[in-house]
Amino acid sequence: MREDIKQILSQVEKPARYAGGEFNSLPVKPSAAIKFLLCFPDVYEVAMSNLGIKILYEILNRNEDISCEMCYAPWPDMAKLLKDNDISLFGLSSQTSMRDFDIVGFSMQYEMSYTNMLYMLDLGNIPLLRKERSEKDPIIIAGGPCCINPFPLVDFVDIFCIGDGEYNDEKLCMLLKQAKTSGMSRADFLKMASDIEGIYVPEIENYVKRAVVPLEEAVFPTKVQIPNVEAVHNRAMLELFRGCSRGCRFCQAGMIYRPVRNRTVETLTKYALDLVKNNGFEEISLSSLSTCDYPDLKQLLTAIKPELDKRGVHISLPSTRVDSFEAQYAEDSRLSSITFAPEAGTQRLRDVINKNVTEEDIFNSMKFAFEKGYSSVKLYFMIGLPTETEEDLAGIVDIASRIKKLYRECAVSKKQLSITISTSTLVPKPFTPFQWERQISLAEIEQRQTYLKTELKKIGVKYKWHDGLTSRLETALARGDSKLGKVILSAYENGAIFDSWDEFFDFEKWQNAFDKFNIVIDEYTSEIPVDANLPWDKIDVGIDKEFLKREREKAYAKVLTQDCRKICNDCGIRVAYPEIYSEFCKKRVDR
Amino acid sequence: MILCKYTKLDRAVYLGHLDVLKMFGMAIRRTAIPVAYSMGFNKHILLYMSQPLSLGLASECEYFCIDSPCDPDEFAEKMNSSLPEGIRLTKAFFVQKNPNIAGLMCAADYTAEFADRNYDPDDILKITEKPAIEMEIVSKGVKKIKDIKPLIYDISIENNFLKFCLACGNSNLKADRFISYITETTGIRFSGFITKKHLYTAVNGKLTDIDDYLGK
Ligand code: SF4
């Protein structure tokens, strides 16, 4: 352990965040050709709950030529100590400084972590602007869902991985190894990297097509680093499949991970059992976009349940269809709350967004849960959906009061019912049918929240809402172009860090940054003409823009689109990825 | 019940008390060793740990007690294959009941390594020759001057290490606080971790290693 690091760890809060040595950490390979620092731009406990970086950590370290270690955003107390003592941010296993790695990779999961990427680079003493980096600086790469529209970050990132990351980080490492041995320049390396499918290099501005990985053969980590400090979600994670067949029109994940790719039940059974043996979590979460859609869920649960029971591990399943057979498996003795996401308050609006959930579904699920003894309900809705009126908001209140009535009629628990309603504001995201929609104004957001606050209070229902300013910023960053790079940098210079944390988020810092360059946020949040060129048109995710337009028209006409398991809706995958299409879409539809 | 003695060294010195408890729980679930669980809603493993160790202090003499039908040696062996860097079970044996180490202990031995060799051993030994050693302590937000001399049982220098024995338990002197007092008053610096080496109980007014007292 480095003595200088030891000195500051004795002064910092929760030093275990920075100590490394987690159980199941993979050995550092000091003589590996490529040293990779995998970064997650949020605090340890949040980062440790993310599955994506665990997958990459495993894949990269399996390669003899690569030594990969982790790094997370230090809490501000640690950042201050690092600066005061002139210590650069370091990899947690070997305590090597960030700038001594060959590649520094960032996982970008949410827009509000953009400034934290700069914060980490800064603490690592790496020039923030890619144009200012020299031959000896590490290559900065970024991946994850936010990079589907990389343009707001093009000033800072050398290479983007668009789409599934399973193969591309490793490919980049191998290419860099080759480049290093042959003495290739940084510029030539970047040029070569841009030829890899799924890689976007801002310097080259190359055409890029999203990387899509057939999941079954891809590596999945069943031995994961056990956090020193308890993670936000301290559980084993099993990804059953990637993609979602439901086609909700507001959902970016449901579009950009198409098509649905299932793992086989045999493989998943093995992974699940290995996960509980190797890690010791109390809970295993079957996590996918719409987990209950997994066709062999029953078979999987039957196969893993005995061993899990023996070890006292319970299964967490999103309870979207609690009346289903599967739910019985997910029950635990604690009868914690049941969550449901109708997203909109009336059937009309649910049809607009293609959320195939009926009132009957909601109330059947609730009835089932109450008869089982549940006494706590959490419901998630969105506000600001296209065509939304006061009637739709009233619908939310109505659902809540009818659930209360249902509870009086059929509850078996003696406890008082607790209902919590949470709303988020629609953030119209790239590559969704709503990508052209305006986001409702701050005044409208607040007015609709006030309505719900008042009405829900009357019937004694708890209400939680997302901060409107955050939602506006999220839209600007999600739909942003390369002009926003200087705004992000300036916000960071104004002191914006940990923007996803209420206690840190300070909109002023952002507002000043926008003002400095005479850019108005409304430019990014208002409606975009459907024939306009979009910044992200340059990224080919394999989804046909015409399909998105059709879906938008259907939204306004309140016409539903069927689940991809029933028919193919011709979203563009068939043309863009013929092999993937016949392997995953065609087979499923033909069944 | 099985009483286990374990180390907390290297990077593990930064794990908090509750984090260590969680870590043992996960290790037990990994190894699938049968242990007793609490009754009720939130079932948890019944594992009793000795007093929390200050963050940043290393130790070779931490203890926990657990109810398991497993053979103690087998328990230790299985656990040791499933613990992170720095945590090792060094002893495990049957006890009739939880011996309540926290109630038994009254002193502990520590070592701290000198950062360099530029120090005069007499500087340290001179401190202990004073009739009273006044140290400022902050207790519940209030600063107080306290004579710590009665809490220092022994102090010596060996192979570039300062070895010292302090009261711990009901009357207590924190090792890290004592070391910073030495640095503040003499300018002598230390490196590495302060390590707690042995834990003692009093038998007929004599310090006796807890392990010997328990007959192991
Ligand atoms: S190609 Fe057809 S089945 Fe496949 S994801 Fe697109 S719409 Fe669904």
Side-chain angles (χ1 to χ4, degrees), chain A residues 244-245 254 258-260 542-543 547 562-565 567-575 581 584-586 588-589:
Chain A
C244 175
S245 58
R258 285 182 178 224
V260 169
I543 303 294
F547 164 76
Q562 287 208 54
D563 194 302
C564 286
R565 284 170 295 175
I567 61 158
C568 172
N569 296 295
D570 207 9
C571 70
I573 294 291
R574 186 171 50 82
V575 183
Y581 170 80
F584 296 98
C585 301
K586 192 160 180 312
R588 189 167 47 235
V589 174

Side-chain angles (χ1 to χ4, degrees), chain A residues 433-448:
Chain A
F434 290 163
Q435 65 179 354
W436 299 276
E437 296 297 325
R438 75 174 186 116
Q439 183 178 48
I440 55 171
S441 68
L442 186 62
E444 285 167 297
I445 295 175
E446 285 172 353
Q447 182 223 326
R448 289 176 205 194

Side-chain angles (χ1 to χ4, degrees), chain A residues 67 144 178 281 480:
Chain A
S67 185
Q178 208 186 313
F281 291 109

Side-chain angles (χ1 to χ4, degrees), chain A residues 49-62:
Chain A
S49 308
N50 177 268
L51 177 61
I53 52 173
K54 294 190 195 299
I55 296 176
L56 293 177
Y57 180 72
E58 174 82 23
I59 292 178
L60 294 173
N61 278 313
R62 278 196 193 182

